[in-house]
Amino acid sequence: MIARFKDLCLDANDPLALGAFWARMLDGDVADAGDDDTRVDPRSARSPAESIWVNKVPEPRVGRTRVHLDLRLPGADPAPLLADGARLVREPNDDGRWVLADPDGNEFCALAADADSRPGPFQLVVDALDPAAQATWWAGVLGGTAEYGSTDALVFGSAGLPWDHWVFDGVSEPKTVKNRMHWDVELAEPEPMALIAAGATLLREPIDEAHWWWVLADPEGNEFCAFAPRPTG
């Protein structure tokens, strides 16, 4: 294991407004994260990794949503989410998923309540040209097991991952713009040399004490941030 999953981050022009929306979706609280950023902390979270940091950026959203969450609804349909500001993109087809979008146009999926599952996010989904290769790579970074389907692949049991699965969904379109949602990892070692040796690309070194993390990309160009391990003792 080179690292463990830390949390999710979401770009926004208005972090306060988008953070308030996701707090309603996830039954959470909005915290001031400084520098005009916010953080959504679900009240029923079993781990800090379920928090979503909403970061202010100047550029508008462009391109398709390549990273999203799948949510389990508290009821049979997404009417409460629509009432709280979500937009319906697509009715369910054979997969039983409603496709919704937040006020910034970031799409996410919602499924009807399941007696065996709690409401809220249950898997992270990332578009991939080669789902098997992506799942294998991330299972190698975070630990866990990769399983392969005909059009997708998934990882489960990874260190720190707070949801059931991390799904890599096969698509034909390559990534062309920065992902609006990305994830952070906490390194096992003080620097990301093992990640880079495994095939990650270094995009940015730490800038200063306020921006003390590395920005990297995985083999398909998905940006993620890597943090040095927290001191113990």
Side-chain angles (χ1 to χ4, degrees):
M1 187 187 79
I2 298 172
R4 63 185 293 112
F5 188 92
K6 183 176 179 292
D7 48 39
L8 284 178
C9 297
L10 182 60
D11 289 350
N13 299 129
D14 187 342
L16 183 60
L18 195 60
F21 169 84
W22 277 100
R24 295 193 297 273
M25 295 299 98
L26 303 180
D27 187 28
D29 298 310
V30 180
D32 182 354
D35 294 329
D36 294 324
D37 297 342
T38 60
R39 189 185 69 246
V40 177
D41 298 324
R43 298 186 185 103
S44 62
R46 295 167 292 188
S47 160
E50 292 187 55
S51 292
I52 299 177
W53 296 74
V54 188
N55 300 325
K56 187 174 181 62
V57 296
E59 64 271 11
R61 183 187 181 281
V62 294
R64 61 175 289 156
T65 300
R66 295 186 69 89
V67 182
H68 73 268
L69 286 169
D70 282 355
L71 278 63
R72 187 73 68 182
L73 296 167
D77 63 60
L81 279 64
L82 297 172
D84 277 337
R87 175 174 58 86
L88 179 64
V89 176
R90 195 200 73 198
E91 295 277 357
N93 53 27
D94 292 343
D95 62 7
R97 286 171 163 79
W98 285 271
V99 179
L100 308 175
D102 71 15
D104 273 16
N106 303 297
E107 295 180 2
F108 60 99
C109 296
L111 283 80
D114 185 326
D116 297 326
S117 302
R118 65 173 182 149
F122 67 95
Q123 60 187 20
L124 177 65
V125 183
V126 182
D127 285 356
L129 292 175
D130 189 337
Q134 283 289 93
T136 300
W137 194 83
W138 277 105
V141 169
L142 301 181
T145 302
E147 290 189 354
Y148 313 105
S150 59
T151 61
D152 62 9
L154 61 86
V155 178
F156 62 92
S158 292
L161 188 69
W163 307 296
D164 297 342
H165 304 117
W166 189 347
V167 179
F168 294 92
D169 194 19
V171 297
S172 58
E173 308 87 359
K175 179 179 180 293
T176 57
V177 297
K178 178 187 175 187
N179 288 332
R180 205 69 172 173
M181 177 178 276
H182 73 267
W183 51 91
D184 296 337
V185 302
E186 183 178 301
L187 298 166
E189 301 293 334
E191 296 189 352
M193 301 310 178
L195 261 176
I196 295 169
T201 300
L202 178 64
L203 301 180
R204 197 202 73 195
E205 297 271 4
I207 298 174
D208 51 35
E209 291 186 1
H211 304 84
W212 48 278
W213 54 89
W214 293 264
V215 180
L216 300 105
D218 72 11
E220 287 203 2
N222 297 299
E223 304 88 359
F224 64 98
C225 296
F227 291 75
R230 290 167 289 188
T232 59

